[in-house]
Amino acid sequence: MTATLPRSFLPAAPPRRDALTLDIVADEAAFQALAPFWDALVDQTATRSPFLRWDWVSLWWAECREAGSRLAIGLLRDEEGVPQAIAPLMLSRERDRARRYLTALSFLGGFGSAHGERLDFIVPAGQEDDLTPRLCRVFKHLRDECDVVRLNHLPQESRNTPHILAALEESFIHAGVLNRYPCHFIRLPETLAEYEMRHTGAWRSKLRRRSKSFAIQHAGVASLAGERVSFDAAMDALGTLHARQWPESISSFVTPASWGFHQRLAAKWLPQGRALLPLLEADGQIIAAMYGFVERDEFFQFQMGWEPAMAKLSPGKLVMRWCIEGSIQRGLRAHDMLPSDYEYKRQWCDSLRWLLDLEACNPTSWRAAAFYSLRTARRLLPRRDRDAAGPTSELQEDASS
């Protein structure tokens, strides 16, 4: 006869996990534990973006986050605890006077110094309709911890976008698209000659004359950082040339926090070929530099700088041409100039896609209600009266909105 132990004496069964469990990663140790899984998931996404990579988000969190910022990463795990999808989010406050009193749920690295330009949920391609709605439950879990949701630079074409919007509309109020940015890019052909034939004969002739003058009259040399010039020296040249055109008060790229971030990032990515820094040298000195990132089969042109004293040579256009030629030689399929609608981007690019800023308000937050009401009232004023009115409250309209 076999004795039967009372149930209280039996060892407890390990807790069973659902097929997929949503967790919130809020502490540093748990965040760092995601490192082995993060880029493997990014590799599977349809969204091509260097700004989702582990090196970018982890360095941004270390170098650029505002005081009081908190991690709020949504994580879908399978039965064995392996991450299957990630919502890279944080709780923070922006610096501008309009939003500094609002706690925002935003993309990790979505604003402030060195903010990302193409941000998204990290979900394997083809699984967005299944996984993204489950991942979006993070909004309901975190609603009481924020005044607003502000998700900047989400690709409009992402299959995650409609699911994110639907989830915001379900759990928040005033959910929708706040800003829409054009993002010009080039669909790259097989040769530079093919690309140049897309432009007028006058455009080609002018650029070739300047290329000839650069090479013959100024002993011009085109290279990449790490070939003739060390990575560190090339980055220093980029910073110097960029600051001559756009000082710190205009360009966030050369602010201390952003520059420190990019120096650390470049030290990792330039030797690996994940960042590129094309250079032009004329008369023995660097006169132009272009800094960008390779993500799978696309190049993302991030920042540039050129010598104003050499303006007649058009070094900015020459380094752009050299950069595009390099993208073609690498077999890349797209050269993306990132958001903004500058005329030079329209001239160089033949294609367009869009990035969205999404916003939603917590229906229980008086701060969000005050901010939204003041902004709505201010926008009803004619532009002339709006400018004349000046500051009316500490909860002022965000100039970028």
Side-chain angles (χ1 to χ4, degrees):
M1 182 175 179
T2 303
T4 301
L5 291 173
R7 184 171 295 276
S8 59
F9 284 91
L10 295 176
R16 290 182 59 84
R17 300 180 70 94
D18 293 333
L20 286 173
T21 303
L22 177 64
D23 298 325
I24 307 294
V25 173
D27 65 79
E28 295 282 345
F31 176 47
Q32 295 300 322
L34 294 176
F37 307 98
W38 195 284
D39 280 351
L41 283 173
V42 173
D43 285 336
Q44 300 176 56
T45 63
T47 299
R48 284 159 166 75
S49 174
F51 313 103
L52 292 175
R53 288 291 177 182
W54 174 255
D55 285 341
W56 187 286
V57 296
S58 61
L59 277 175
W60 187 94
W61 183 249
E63 294 277 345
C64 302
R65 71 180 188 266
E66 296 292 330
S69 297
R70 292 177 286 149
L71 295 166
I73 298 170
L75 188 65
L76 278 180
R77 299 181 189 268
D78 64 14
E79 291 174 306
E80 298 179 351
V82 178
Q84 300 298 305
I86 300 171
L89 300 172
M90 66 176 183
L91 290 159
S92 188
R93 291 186 177 184
E94 297 181 58
R95 280 188 177 182
D96 70 86
R97 61 183 180 179
R99 296 174 178 271
R100 61 180 172 171
Y101 297 102
L102 300 174
T103 297
L105 179 64
S106 66
F107 282 126
L108 185 59
F111 53 74
S113 298
H115 62 78
E117 300 284 5
R118 282 175 63 84
L119 302 174
D120 201 352
F121 282 7
I122 302 171
V123 180
Q127 299 186 51
E128 297 91 347
D129 292 342
D130 178 31
L131 298 185
T132 306
R134 303 185 193 199
L135 195 56
C136 283
R137 293 172 190 163
V138 70
F139 294 125
K140 187 174 294 186
H141 286 295
L142 294 170
R143 187 182 70 174
D144 293 340
E145 297 189 43
C146 67
D147 298 302
V148 297
V149 176
R150 179 74 181 265
L151 301 176
N152 290 344
H153 291 179
L154 172 68
Q156 179 174 286
E157 76 273 10
S158 171
R159 290 185 62 180
N160 294 319
T161 299
H163 296 297
I164 293 172
L165 266 170
L168 293 179
E169 290 169 354
E170 179 182 348
S171 297
F172 293 82
I173 59 173
H174 309 309
V177 176
L178 180 66
N179 299 310
R180 188 168 179 257
Y181 304 98
C183 199
H184 296 273
F185 70 101
I186 305 165
R187 297 186 187 276
L188 294 170
E190 292 186 2
T191 66
L192 182 64
E194 285 182 73
Y195 167 74
E196 291 184 335
M197 286 302 295
R198 297 174 183 174
H199 298 270
T200 65
W203 186 92
R204 296 195 303 272
S205 177
K206 184 181 293 186
L207 195 58
R208 287 171 181 170
R209 283 199 308 271
R210 287 168 178 165
S211 296
K212 186 175 180 179
S213 175
F214 166 71
I216 297 175
Q217 298 179 23
H218 297 277
V221 178
S223 67
L224 282 177
E227 294 176 348
R228 294 169 51 87
V229 180
S230 71
F231 296 126
D232 288 344
M235 281 297 289
D236 288 344
L238 169 69
T240 299
L241 293 169
H242 183 86
R244 286 177 185 169
Q245 296 170 283
W246 299 285
E248 183 179 329
S249 60
I250 297 174
S251 173
S252 63
F253 182 59
V254 290
T255 58
S258 176
W259 185 242
F261 165 87
H262 282 288
Q263 284 180 309
R264 289 186 63 186
L265 184 73
K268 286 189 172 188
W269 280 9
L270 284 173
Q272 298 172 11
R274 296 170 66 186
L276 299 176
L277 190 47
L279 305 170
L280 296 183
E281 298 173 66
D283 302 323
Q285 64 177 352
I286 297 173
I287 63 164
M290 180 78 74
Y291 174 56
F293 313 109
V294 176
E295 176 57 39
R296 286 177 275 183
D297 55 0
E298 298 188 11
F299 178 79
F300 293 88
Q301 179 180 309
F302 192 71
Q303 290 290 358
M304 65 182 297
W306 50 271
E307 176 53 65
M310 302 289 286
K312 289 184 177 180
L313 195 60
S314 297
K317 292 180 179 178
L318 293 181
V319 77
M320 188 90 70
R321 182 177 186 264
W322 169 229
C323 193
I324 292 168
E325 183 177 5
S327 293
I328 292 171
Q329 290 173 350
R330 285 173 177 75
L332 304 181
R333 71 173 184 86
H335 182 110
D336 192 313
M337 294 193 183
L338 296 174
S340 70
D341 200 26
Y342 293 119
E343 177 63 26
Y344 81 90
K345 294 186 178 183
R346 295 192 214 118
Q347 292 174 355
W348 286 88
C349 296
D350 57 14
S351 301
L352 186 67
R353 53 192 174 190
W354 296 86
L355 297 180
L356 308 176
D357 290 349
L358 305 186
E359 183 184 68
C361 297
N362 182 342
T364 67
S365 167
W366 69 265
R367 291 184 179 87
F371 171 80
Y372 187 83
S373 297
L374 286 169
R375 187 176 66 185
T376 300
R378 186 172 174 82
R379 287 177 172 177
L380 292 174
L381 293 172
R383 184 74 193 187
R384 178 182 55 191
D385 295 340
R386 194 187 316 171
D387 293 340
T392 58
S393 165
E394 290 182 318
L395 287 172
Q396 279 289 312
E397 178 185 3
D398 180 355
S400 68
S401 302

